[in-house]
Every structure is written in C-alpha cells, then in structure tokens.
Amino acid sequence: MRIRADLDLCQGHAVCQAEAPEVFTVPKRGRVEILDDAPTGEHEPAVANAIRYCPTQALSIADAGATDPSPKGTD
C-alpha cells in the first residue's frame, strides 16, 4: 500500500489525522503531510477510514488491491 495526497484538493480539515495520527499530520492552517506513505498492515484499517472520510477526497492508495479506498458513503 502506498498513500498519495492531492494537495490541490486538501483543505486541511484534519480528518485523516484524527483517523490515523501515526500516518498523517495536518499543521494548523496547512495541508496534509504524510508521515509514512507505506504504512504496515496494522495501520491499514485506520488509513482506509482516513481515505474514506476525507471531505475533499484528497487521499488515495496507489496500490488499489491493498485497501478499498471507496469514497465516503459508497460502501
């Protein structure tokens, strides 16, 4: 699994940080920073939630086979 962030879409809501603080951080008045772009299996559920609940859908997974990155409300 490799995480990607579209910084043009990110508005700094920090939902990702709330879901997976080991993987994402959002500085005050900033955009997402990925702390670990290839997290281990133990973080996959939290990362999947961060991607799913991102209000602007700025996060995605490059290896789509590892986790279901479906947008919020589609599961």
Side-chain angles (χ1 to χ4, degrees):
M1 166 193 317
R2 185 154 311 271
I3 304 167
R4 291 189 180 169
D6 184 335
L7 298 181
D8 290 331
L9 292 176
C10 181
Q11 295 179 358
H13 294 284
V15 173
C16 55
Q17 180 177 306
E19 292 291 336
E22 310 83 10
V23 180
F24 304 101
T25 187
V26 180
K28 193 170 187 173
R29 296 189 182 113
R31 294 187 178 125
V32 65
E33 295 176 9
I34 300 172
L35 303 174
D36 181 2
D37 71 344
T40 61
E42 69 183 27
H43 297 295
E44 286 185 22
V47 169
N49 284 336
I51 291 168
R52 180 175 292 121
Y53 298 123
C54 177
T56 61
Q57 299 179 5
L59 300 172
S60 63
I61 299 216
D63 179 11
T67 300
D68 176 19
S70 58
K72 182 178 178 182
T74 62
D75 50 331

